[in-house]
Amino acid sequence: MPPKPLDYVSINENVKKSQYAVRGELYLRASELQKEGKKIIFTNVGNPHALGQKPLSFPRQVVALCQAPFLLDDPNVGLLFPADAIAKAKHYISLTSGGLGAYSDSRGLPGVRKEVAEFILRRDGYPSDPELIYLTDGASKGVMQILNTIISGQDDGILVPVPQYPLYSATISLLGGTLVPYYLEETANWGLDVNELRQSVAQARYKGITVKAMVIINPGNPTGQCVSEANLVEILRFCYEENLVLLGDEVYQQNIYQDERPFISSKKVLMDLGPPISKEVQLISFHSVSKGYYGECGQRGGYFEMTNIPPQTVEEIYKVASISLSPNVPAQIFMGIMMNPPQPGDISYDQYVRESKGILESLRRRARIMTDGFNSCRNVVCNFTEGAMYSFPQIRLPPRALEAAKQAGKVPDVFYCLNLLESTGISTVPGSGFGQKEGVFHLRTTILPAEEDMPAIMDSFKKFNDEFMEQYEDNRGYSRL
């Protein structure tokens, strides 16, 4: 009897090949242990509210009123909601064609896209066209739409930083394209060397691959670095020389934990360069309500902005977007509020600033606690988390640990992370899920656990790690250098 269409042997091979480590073996084992009653600290994914971050009051008040517009007719509404939240809710309801239960334009509500364009103008000092901004169900959906438009077969290559966020490897695999890695330099605080880019492109072309696009994640995931303006200039010049579209994943732009390298957008640097580069380089920039001090991952709100993309191509991207009819409308409103928050003099302004600053200042402290904690451990070295939400320490595994992993049939850092999970309940992601240099091992953890819990978590990690190293090191020890 022939196999049925959805029998494993019959399904799309690209689906089988795609992997998503953030919700992979470690996460599944952690979920099993949780069902068995073990306390699990899920630091495997940048999911702020799941780890205790409180939602900002003002956006939730506005969306609550939009979701239940009958409250606006209640004479007591002013006792429960501030006047500026009521006015904002009426504003967003007026932008829809039937409230939050109605489809919007496939590109998103025009009024919200206008707010995004105004935010980009304020941020970069250059105008933005709302017609070239598409609202999406989280930045991930936007990335998938654009990669789907770019990739037409296995000979199409996408330059992706390694270590990389597995959205890119999984989506490229799913679409049947080829990931072309370029390695970030750990010893230079995960910096990018343009010579590394040139080498990656040359090797890919030698194999018959047409490199079409380059991904940059700034601030970095999983590596946490902030890309300097000088580095962005080099990247944009490289894309100009090599005729590549630049995909700027900038979802962590609010998450900055040092003052030396503030976030600067790819769009601003591109425009600053002036013609011909500013008129020629094709750029797609992505942002999201899931990160920053919003942390609204479950709402699934995002956008992408297109720069120097031909009108005919924009029409084709619209066609791809329209297949899904409409992005999530409540999420579009979250995006609108993030782009156009309470202003000085508004009733909710002081509370909004207090809440958002409190989150960012706490994250800055947690980034330092975690980095210092990792660097106090035996055979562990870790760059400071300059931005984003993650720490990516290198674990120097002794030869006997490598042998034990081999006997267990596990990749070495998977073996280490599974032992960490079983011993402490801390659920991380092994570095091999993001890509890393041969023979070098890492893990990724978020810096999101509650600040008051962080010292205990790091003590627990240190105790496990040092006992693990003691168990697997020989009597001569093992140098961390």
Side-chain angles (χ1 to χ4, degrees), residues 180-238:
V180 179
Y182 66 91
Y183 287 89
L184 303 177
E185 184 47 61
E186 186 167 12
T187 57
N189 206 25
W190 298 111
L192 185 158
D193 183 349
V194 175
N195 292 324
E196 171 74 29
L197 287 176
R198 290 197 175 95
Q199 196 174 341
S200 295
V201 169
Q203 288 173 349
R205 287 178 178 157
Y206 180 74
K207 295 173 186 171
I209 294 163
T210 302
V211 182
K212 287 188 161 183
M214 175 180 173
V215 173
I216 180 171
I217 307 173
N218 179 34
N221 176 9
T223 45
Q225 88 287 7
C226 293
V227 181
S228 69
E229 183 173 359
N231 221 175
L232 283 168
V233 167
E234 288 183 304
I235 290 163
L236 286 159
R237 286 194 168 132
F238 173 78

Side-chain angles (χ1 to χ4, degrees), residues 234-253:
E234 288 183 304
I235 290 163
L236 286 159
R237 286 194 168 132
F238 173 78
C239 289
Y240 176 70
E241 291 162 10
E242 300 293 343
N243 194 27
L244 304 177
V245 56
L246 182 63
L247 307 183
D249 182 335
E250 298 175 341
V251 302
Y252 297 102
Q253 60 188 263

